[in-house]
Amino acid sequence: RPWMRSVHPSNIIGFEPNPRRVAQARSCNPYVTFIHTNPLPPSRLADESVDYVVAFSVFSHLDEYSTRKWFAEYRRILKPGGIIAVTTQVQGFIDVCKQFRDKKKAGEALGHPWHEALAASFTDVDQCRAMYQNGDFLFATQGRMPRAGARYGEAIISPAFVRKHLCDRLDFIDYFDDKGRLAQALIVVQKPKS
């Protein structure tokens, strides 16, 4: 939504694998194009046809395989000089999951199924922190796959992972992790201009 002030709605395209959510999005934003797509690429968009790709709270839930596939697809559809700006969970999310576990151990009701799932995520805190520092992709499903073949859970993508595995023919621009300003970490990469 923040970009709708700067970009004409007819130039905004949204991807969504759930047909019901596509219908909801179209009714809320009738001037924006929403495309029903498969959970994994390819999309129907032509090579080098978009200037920006923005995804908030998408890559905080996709597994490594899906993440790599979508970054390759975004590189394909981006025009030279195009920007990808997506979010993922911050490193501190490991501690958030631990806080839910601690509350549950203390007998507190967590009050929401997602909080229960988080309590079962990233359970070896020291190992998860080491993996993050090592540049690994952290992913937890809590055994709650929403549908067959889905690749959904909780993901934490480190800056080192972005640089090493997601910047194939893309330039790393920034990894912004400031929970005081943005709830998730922001990953920004750019397709070279030539």
Side-chain angles (χ1 to χ4, degrees), residues 113-187:
W114 184 55
H115 296 162
E116 292 284 345
L118 294 183
S121 300
F122 308 114
T123 55
D124 188 332
V125 172
D126 292 334
Q127 179 186 24
C128 288
R129 287 183 183 140
M131 290 173 67
Y132 183 90
Q133 293 305 319
N134 191 46
D136 294 336
F137 189 104
L138 283 77
F139 185 71
T141 63
Q142 313 94 27
R144 59 176 182 87
M145 301 300 267
R147 62 188 179 280
R151 299 175 172 276
Y152 185 87
E154 301 298 332
I156 304 171
I157 308 171
S158 68
F161 184 91
V162 174
R163 288 177 186 269
K164 185 174 180 183
H165 299 288
L166 299 180
C167 286
D168 177 32
R169 291 174 280 153
L170 295 168
D171 295 330
F172 180 87
I173 302 298
D174 200 1
Y175 187 101
F176 180 78
D177 182 353
D178 181 351
K179 192 100 168 145
R181 295 184 61 201
L182 188 62
Q184 297 188 357
L186 177 65
I187 299 165

Side-chain angles (χ1 to χ4, degrees), residues 18-166:
N18 183 320
R20 190 185 66 204
R21 289 193 179 133
V22 170
Q24 289 171 335
R26 286 175 179 159
S27 71
C28 292
N29 298 286
Y31 305 105
V32 173
T33 301
F34 290 97
I35 298 172
H36 175 252
T37 188
N38 291 320
L40 292 173
S43 69
R44 300 186 320 216
L45 297 181
D47 293 357
E48 299 186 349
S49 60
V50 300
D51 295 304
Y52 301 99
V53 172
V54 178
F56 185 83
S57 197
V58 173
F59 292 91
S60 50
H61 298 288
L62 296 182
D63 71 339
E64 180 178 344
Y65 179 81
S66 301
T67 296
R68 287 176 183 249
K69 289 290 188 184
W70 279 110
F71 264 73
E73 175 68 0
Y74 294 161
R75 184 185 65 239
R76 180 188 72 78
I77 65 174
L78 269 179
K79 294 176 184 176
I83 299 280
I84 300 171
V86 302
T87 63
T88 186
Q89 296 291 7
V90 297
Q91 180 182 8
F93 192 70
I94 297 165
D95 298 313
V96 169
C97 294
K98 182 183 182 309
Q99 290 168 0
F100 281 115
R101 272 191 304 285
D102 292 344
K103 286 181 179 182
K104 189 171 183 174
K105 285 179 189 174
E108 291 183 45
L110 299 183
H112 193 281
W114 184 55
H115 296 162
E116 292 284 345
L118 294 183
S121 300
F122 308 114
T123 55
D124 188 332
V125 172
D126 292 334
Q127 179 186 24
C128 288
R129 287 183 183 140
M131 290 173 67
Y132 183 90
Q133 293 305 319
N134 191 46
D136 294 336
F137 189 104
L138 283 77
F139 185 71
T141 63
Q142 313 94 27
R144 59 176 182 87
M145 301 300 267
R147 62 188 179 280
R151 299 175 172 276
Y152 185 87
E154 301 298 332
I156 304 171
I157 308 171
S158 68
F161 184 91
V162 174
R163 288 177 186 269
K164 185 174 180 183
H165 299 288
L166 299 180

